[in-house]
Amino acid sequence: VLAQSAQDFQWSGEMGADQTLEIKGVNGPITVERAAGSEVVVSAEAVGRRSDPSTVRIEMIEHDEGRTFCAVYPSPEGERENYCGVGSAGRMNTSRNDVEVRFRVELPPGVAFVGTTVNGGIEALGLDNDVSVSTVNGDVEVETDGFAGRAETVNGSIDVRMGRFEPTGDMSFETVNGSIRLDLPDDADAD
């Protein structure tokens, strides 16, 4: 596990086309764009008004399916330890911590992307990747030549354009307070 301060964090490296890059934030947006080369680049900037940005760290877990990057906040006193985990694993409690971690990702074609945050929008534009994203408070915008199987928010709108449709794949596009706009490929047979 790589762990480093979230202030001016940067990592770059190669990932296989069959792998997934996962970003797990709490406070702050996630922006994803197509990489100019073949390397994945993950950068983060931490800013805070009352809380100290240097107390938040970025952890990276390398696993068989790819890499997971998490913004890990200091654990509140008397509570269980915060930690990074793959998929639904991990603990991310930010009690009374206003640090915002802004993730920026450059992604080469073929590497799947999974992104989650709580307070921030997710923008994944100009991609050729499979994409799955969710937030609670923020808009979601996805534009990919790949398959976008999931885009979810509670307070925000969803705008998805995908170039490839997988009729056997599960799809979910959900919001509570906002609109949903889908642009599917011409060969999509869906209701």
Side-chain angles (χ1 to χ4, degrees):
V1 176
L2 165 78
Q4 179 179 329
S5 171
Q7 289 183 297
D8 301 321
F9 171 87
Q10 183 150 341
W11 175 89
S12 62
E14 299 282 335
M15 289 182 67
D18 61 337
Q19 292 191 307
T20 299
L21 175 72
E22 179 181 34
I23 300 291
K24 296 171 75 173
V26 180
N27 294 323
I30 300 172
T31 304
V32 186
E33 60 188 24
R34 185 186 299 239
S38 61
E39 284 194 331
V40 174
V41 177
V42 177
S43 57
E45 174 190 19
V47 295
R49 291 183 301 275
R50 294 180 317 275
S51 303
D52 182 1
S54 69
T55 63
V56 180
R57 67 188 186 278
I58 304 298
E59 289 187 8
M60 179 193 77
I61 300 173
E62 189 171 353
H63 47 90
D64 290 342
E65 291 80 35
R67 287 186 172 84
T68 297
F69 291 82
C70 303
V72 180
Y73 287 72
S75 301
E77 190 173 321
E79 300 217 10
R80 293 183 320 191
E81 189 75 20
N82 285 338
Y83 67 96
C84 184
V86 178
S88 62
R91 179 166 169 76
M92 308 281 194
N93 187 336
T94 62
S95 180
R96 289 177 261 146
N97 190 317
D98 74 351
V99 172
E100 182 177 284
V101 177
R102 301 169 184 158
F103 279 101
R104 185 174 171 278
V105 177
E106 296 175 33
L107 200 61
V111 177
F113 178 75
V114 174
T116 59
T117 190
V118 178
N119 297 308
I122 300 176
E123 190 174 88
L125 304 176
L127 301 179
D128 189 7
N129 311 75
D130 290 351
V131 176
S132 175
V133 294
S134 69
T135 186
V136 176
N137 298 306
D139 292 335
V140 173
E141 187 175 1
V142 175
E143 178 186 290
T144 183
D145 289 336
F147 176 67
R150 181 175 71 121
E152 298 175 355
T153 185
V154 175
N155 297 307
S157 293
I158 295 172
D159 189 355
V160 173
R161 187 197 65 74
M162 73 176 89
R164 190 168 41 86
F165 183 72
E166 294 181 9
T168 59
D170 290 334
M171 297 175 69
S172 176
F173 304 95
E174 297 180 32
T175 185
V176 175
N177 298 306
S179 62
I180 298 175
R181 186 177 148 270
L182 296 177
D183 184 350
L184 302 174
D186 291 340
D187 64 348
D189 183 13
D191 292 325

